[in-house]
Amino acid sequence: MSLSGTFLKKSPWVYHAHAGGCNGCDLEILASFGPRYDLERLGIKLVASPRFADILLVTGPVPLHTKPFLERIYAQTPSPKKVVAMGACGCSGGVFVDNENYSIAGPVEKIIPVDVRIPGCPPKPEAIADGIMKAMRMF
């Protein structure tokens, strides 16, 4: 979790887009910004609107009814932007991948382009910090 050799022009702002799922990843995001891991000390800030975000942090398998909202969130995020898919459901569809489920549109990469994937069910806060830092280095 080191930023050695990385120069950032500004602190990245992250918007969390929940696209279905069990909320396990969402709880780990809260833990990442809590007092123990405190990603804000690295300059990473959660924002309430995608219009201010540099990085979209997307969790869940993307149900059909959520697909238009995720597309709208992606369109509202200003360029340059990076998308981080988080968790087994966000990266590959998780338990929904082989079910041919009529209500699931697919993993995040079927809906919007994904730059970084954070695997795990749910991923640990250390992995979340590493994934966000990988996205930061892409700017």
Side-chain angles (χ1 to χ4, degrees):
M1 199 164 86
S2 169
L3 284 177
S4 61
T6 303
F7 176 74
L8 302 175
K9 294 180 182 176
K10 68 180 233 79
S11 295
W13 289 6
V14 177
Y15 179 77
H16 170 226
H18 175 73
C22 68
N23 294 336
C25 293
D26 306 323
L27 292 173
E28 293 300 322
I29 290 172
L30 291 175
S32 299
F33 285 91
R36 182 169 185 174
Y37 297 98
D38 196 16
L39 291 182
E40 283 194 17
R41 69 184 158 84
L42 300 174
I44 302 167
K45 181 179 178 186
L46 278 176
V47 293
S49 172
R51 296 177 192 267
F52 303 118
D54 302 310
I55 299 171
L56 293 178
L57 188 60
V58 186
T59 61
V62 191
L64 282 175
H65 71 279
T66 308
K67 180 182 174 183
F69 298 110
L70 185 59
E71 291 169 339
R72 187 180 320 153
I73 287 169
Y74 183 76
Q76 289 176 349
T77 306
S79 293
K81 57 189 160 198
K82 300 296 174 196
V83 177
V84 177
M86 183 179 152
C89 293
C91 293
S92 66
V95 296
F96 304 102
V97 73
D98 293 328
N99 292 344
E100 297 296 326
N101 195 332
Y102 69 91
S103 65
I104 302 296
V108 177
E109 66 185 7
K110 282 190 175 179
I111 315 304
I112 57 176
V114 173
D115 299 302
V116 178
R117 290 166 188 79
I118 306 173
C121 186
K124 294 183 178 182
E126 295 93 344
I128 296 169
D130 187 51
I132 292 173
M133 285 189 227
K134 283 181 185 174
M136 287 169 30
R137 289 186 195 108
M138 292 178 158
F139 284 106

